[in-house]
């Protein structure tokens, strides 16, 4: 599987369901009748941090917050 762009300029123009990356109005793969959205469209600009499970702490550090603080 090829790598997808992390922050595409116009994710709404492409179907992200397979490696063909068809235009949104011309689905060649038969993946269905609906375009598969890029994760940035679903989760927002910080989708990669959400995917990794690493929330950003208030101090700007990346990691898991201490549940006792």
């Amino acid at each position: 599987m090829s790598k997808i762009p992390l922050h595409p300029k116009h994710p709404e123009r492409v179907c992200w369901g397979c490696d063909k990356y068809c235009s949104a109005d011309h689905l060649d793969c038969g993946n269905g009748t609906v375009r598969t959205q890029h994760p940035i469209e679903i989760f927002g600009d910080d989708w990669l941090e959400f995917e990794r499970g690493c929330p950003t702490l208030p101090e700007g550090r990346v990691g898991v917050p201490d549940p006792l603080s």
Side-chain angles (χ1 to χ4, degrees), residues 9-33:
K9 288 185 180 182
H10 297 284
E12 71 280 0
R13 295 181 183 176
V14 177
C15 176
W16 301 95
C18 71
D19 289 341
K20 291 184 179 183
Y21 301 121
C22 305
S23 65
D25 58 352
H26 190 74
L27 304 176
D28 289 334
C29 67
N31 193 24
T33 58

Side-chain angles (χ1 to χ4, degrees), residues 32-64:
T33 58
V34 181
R35 177 183 74 85
T36 301
Q37 293 181 321
H38 188 278
I40 202 169
E41 296 178 86
I42 300 168
F43 301 112
D45 289 333
D46 61 345
W47 73 273
L48 196 55
E49 283 76 29
F50 178 81
E51 178 68 24
R52 291 180 183 159
C54 298
T56 304
L57 298 176
E59 298 83 26
R61 297 177 301 153
V62 175
V64 179

